[in-house]
Amino acid sequence: MAPRRSPRVLAVPAATPLIRRAAFRRAVEVIPGRVRIKTTASQRRRTTTTARRRRAIQSAANQPPAEDPPVTNRRGINSRGTNRRRTNRLPVQDTAPIVTLLQNPDRQRGTGSQAEFGTKLGLRRLRIELARMTSNPTDGCTVELVDDCIYDWKAVILGPLGTPYEGGHFKLRLHFPQLYPARPPFLMFLTEVYHCNIRNGAICVDILYSAWSPALTVEKILLSIRSLLSDPNPENPMNGAAAELYKTDRAEYDYMARQWTRRFAQPE
């Protein structure tokens, strides 16, 4: 008798992970009392948005950091507008560009290519302001160009009536930077003035520094400086001796201001 052969067992290949996952889901669905949770479209969008944000953060972390703009600490002024001594002293405008310009005048600047010294917007703005102040002069203020250069102006302010500066003709020099009107002009007195907020031509006024706005014009700047002659600010002095005299002896202060006006600010 021939030996009985055992039935041949065929090897069944293992199911793939996807097939096993589908089979598991079908088995779970047939369980009684099982509640199937469906994902809504809003939940899918929220999940996609979160994933996109996570990828964006990871991508930004791999990018090199952007360079911060240089921080200039002028005379120890901090971000709160006060100096290191915690006083509310306003910073003084740097007049070095004008001093350099007066010492080394360039006669060809007015005839060269204006694109090298400013943008088209700045040129248009300066020409409009010059035309307005020439055709309709501001009360107590006059302006003119220096060597026909639109970026260099001379101005004359008349001393306000009823003040120690009455009768004086105070000359100023204005130099407009390349980024005007986004940046304020450099301005200094060419005439000697005895004043709390003026010394050696430099002016301590906020509109030329921290309070500058592109909406300000040359006309408004000159009117503000003329108003400063009438109403000094001894609490934020540029000339400490004059400010102390203003507080202690106003009559003597007015006498000194009147003498300086007669000596240095007489019309030619």
Side-chain angles (χ1 to χ4, degrees), residues 56-236:
I57 293 174
Q58 294 175 354
S59 176
N62 296 328
Q63 298 294 330
E67 296 182 359
D68 295 333
V71 179
T72 303
N73 187 10
R74 298 180 177 88
R75 295 182 180 268
I77 301 300
N78 56 27
S79 60
R80 296 183 179 179
T82 59
N83 59 15
R84 296 169 182 172
R85 297 182 179 180
R86 302 293 180 179
T87 59
N88 292 328
R89 179 181 175 86
L90 292 176
V92 180
Q93 187 189 33
D94 184 11
T95 57
I98 294 185
V99 174
T100 304
L101 186 64
L102 293 176
Q103 295 175 351
N104 302 296
D106 186 358
R107 300 293 180 179
Q108 301 299 326
R109 286 187 60 188
T111 58
S113 176
Q114 300 293 354
E116 297 178 2
F117 303 101
T119 61
K120 294 181 180 180
L121 177 62
L123 286 173
R124 181 182 178 185
R125 168 75 174 266
L126 289 173
R127 288 169 180 166
I128 292 176
E129 292 189 31
L130 180 63
R132 289 179 178 176
M133 296 193 68
T134 303
S135 60
N136 187 18
T138 306
D139 184 23
C141 304
T142 59
V143 296
E144 62 177 327
L145 298 183
V146 177
D147 298 331
D148 296 328
C149 180
I150 193 64
Y151 292 96
D152 296 326
W153 292 22
K154 289 191 302 185
V156 176
I157 294 179
L158 302 181
L161 300 178
T163 67
Y165 309 99
E166 180 178 353
H169 287 59
F170 301 94
K171 300 179 181 179
L172 300 94
R173 184 73 175 268
L174 296 91
H175 174 69
F176 297 89
Q178 185 177 6
L179 297 179
Y180 180 84
R183 296 290 184 271
F186 300 100
L187 188 148
M188 68 177 298
F189 270 89
L190 301 180
T191 304
E192 293 288 341
V193 186
Y194 188 83
H195 194 276
C196 296
N197 310 108
I198 304 171
R199 183 179 182 183
N200 296 331
I203 309 169
C204 186
V205 58
D206 57 351
I207 62 172
L208 292 177
Y209 200 84
S210 59
W212 169 255
S213 169
L216 295 174
T217 61
V218 177
E219 180 181 8
K220 295 178 180 179
I221 294 173
L222 296 180
L223 291 177
S224 298
I225 295 177
R226 193 164 185 257
S227 176
L228 185 65
L229 294 177
S230 303
D231 187 17
N233 183 13
E235 301 301 328
N236 183 30

Side-chain angles (χ1 to χ4, degrees), residues 164-165 194-197 228-229 232-233 239 241-247 249-259:
Y165 309 99
Y194 188 83
H195 194 276
C196 296
N197 310 108
L228 185 65
L229 294 177
N233 183 13
N239 188 338
E244 188 65 23
L245 185 61
Y246 184 90
K247 295 178 181 179
D249 193 345
R250 178 64 183 275
E252 182 65 19
Y253 174 88
D254 292 345
Y255 173 79
M256 292 293 297
R258 193 175 295 109
Q259 291 297 320

